[in-house]
Amino acid sequence: SKLYRALEKCPTAAFAYCDYYEQRVKGKKRRISLEGNVFLGTAAGGFLYRRSWLIKYGCFDVSLTGLDFYAFPEYDLLMKMFQDGHSVAYVPKPLWTYVRHQSNFTILNNQKMEKGKKIFRSRHGGYLPPIRY
């Protein structure tokens, strides 16, 4: 509801996003702030997109995931929106928790991640946001 209210306050925003907590299975919970750079965290949660923009951009491009690579379809969608100059609404509160564990994709297979980064760069003119994993 907080993300929804943020979109209501900013009618030109393509999406709203928030901070989150990151929890390791055997560790302390820490706050991850995405203020000023949405790419510094995981874009898998804590986002609310306007339906009209998802229809325009086609949601996540499923061709960016495969058995041997992961090319960040969620960041690809954000890049499309940013390249078109859309504004965003930011909620500076952690509204969800990301639990890191040994089964997380980003921990399990670094080769898939590196292959995905190359695909992402080729799609976006060599640019790769400062993705934090």
Side-chain angles (χ1 to χ4, degrees):
S1 66
K2 291 179 182 180
L3 294 174
Y4 182 81
R5 284 192 298 257
L7 283 177
E8 283 184 321
K9 290 179 183 176
C10 187
T12 61
F15 64 89
Y17 72 103
C18 63
D19 293 343
Y20 64 97
Y21 290 112
E22 182 177 278
Q23 170 91 44
R24 302 238 178 223
V25 173
K26 294 183 181 181
K28 293 185 179 184
K29 188 185 286 189
R30 66 185 183 121
R31 181 180 178 160
I32 305 296
S33 175
L34 301 180
E35 186 172 12
N37 194 337
V38 68
F39 295 107
L40 290 178
T42 178
F47 282 73
L48 181 64
Y49 299 92
R50 289 195 191 277
R51 183 175 184 265
S52 58
W53 296 121
L54 288 179
I55 291 170
K56 177 179 178 179
Y57 294 108
C59 296
F60 294 154
D61 183 346
V62 295
S63 74
L64 292 174
T65 59
L67 295 176
D68 64 339
F69 68 92
Y70 182 77
F72 313 99
E74 64 278 19
Y75 290 123
D76 178 67
L77 176 61
L78 297 179
M79 287 293 296
K80 290 175 189 175
M81 291 178 176
F82 284 131
Q83 288 168 346
D84 276 356
H86 297 296
S87 63
V88 301
Y90 169 65
V91 176
K93 294 180 181 179
L95 300 177
W96 65 287
T97 300
Y98 178 68
V99 179
R100 287 196 180 270
H101 50 81
Q102 289 306 109
S103 298
N104 287 134
F105 183 83
T106 54
I107 293 173
L108 280 178
N109 199 318
N110 197 36
Q111 288 178 324
K112 286 184 181 184
M113 296 297 287
E114 291 306 314
K115 187 173 181 180
K117 287 178 183 180
K118 288 179 184 175
I119 293 168
F120 189 95
R121 283 186 190 108
S122 70
R123 183 175 269 215
H124 294 285
Y127 178 76
L128 182 69
I131 299 168
R132 183 188 139 301
Y133 278 107

